[in-house]
Amino acid sequence: MPDDTFGRMLYWSDRLLKPVEILFTFFGGALVFALMIVGMAQIILRNVFGAPIFGYVDIVEFAMVGFALLAISYVQREGVHVRMEIVVGALKGRALWVLEWFNTTLAVMIISILIPYTYKHFDRAFQFGDSTLDIELPTWPGKLAVPIALTLLLVRLLIQWFGF
């Protein structure tokens, strides 16, 4: 554990955020697993019985948000996201830290802009009762997951930014 107050604050912020990130990642993984089961059932029902699952496309569209965004903060924390490593991998020392700080600053700015707009998109869907075409699933839970996941990512990015 760090000796200074600021370092301890970053340490505890990271420790408090980690279980939340793991929970979101687990939920995203569970969605992927459930979608695989539904996909397998869809194939069997369609090919063997000639009766596909009604609204399968709606279910897939609804679940995509989960595995696209729920684990994004965890992936940022672990540093296993896809990025250009050609330049970053060649840098060492202060130049690497400056580039990481700059990239994190850009990410914080972009995510800060996206969060209110994604929330407005959710709010519109919630107010108007937006739903999918076939089975009329309400779309607002998936649209609410976006600003929540982005807010979690923003907190992770700010912890990293202050660490730099």
Side-chain angles (χ1 to χ4, degrees), residues 75-143:
V75 169
Q76 176 66 29
R77 177 175 53 90
E78 294 296 319
V80 293
H81 51 291
V82 177
R83 67 181 190 168
M84 296 299 292
E85 290 288 336
I86 297 168
V87 174
V88 177
L91 295 176
K92 302 257 188 277
R94 260 210 217 275
L96 175 63
W97 286 99
V98 169
L99 183 63
E100 291 286 2
W101 176 85
F102 178 74
N103 289 341
T104 305
T105 302
L106 279 176
V108 164
M109 291 180 351
I110 291 168
I111 298 299
S112 296
I113 292 169
L114 286 175
I115 290 171
Y117 287 103
T118 57
Y119 182 79
K120 286 179 187 176
H121 194 56
F122 147 74
D123 193 38
R124 233 183 354 262
F126 185 74
Q127 295 295 328
F128 295 137
D130 190 23
S131 64
T132 59
L133 292 176
D134 287 341
I135 59 175
E136 297 183 2
L137 279 173
T139 61
W140 67 264
K143 292 179 180 181

Side-chain angles (χ1 to χ4, degrees), residues 13-15 17-18 21 72-74 76-78 104 151-161:
S13 299
D14 181 63
R15 286 200 46 151
L17 192 60
K18 189 175 181 177
E21 291 170 331
I72 196 167
S73 180
Y74 174 82
Q76 176 66 29
R77 177 175 53 90
E78 294 296 319
T104 305
T151 301
L152 190 63
L153 175 61
L154 179 63
V155 173
R156 168 56 55 199
L157 288 169
L158 288 172
I159 290 171
Q160 289 180 340
W161 188 80

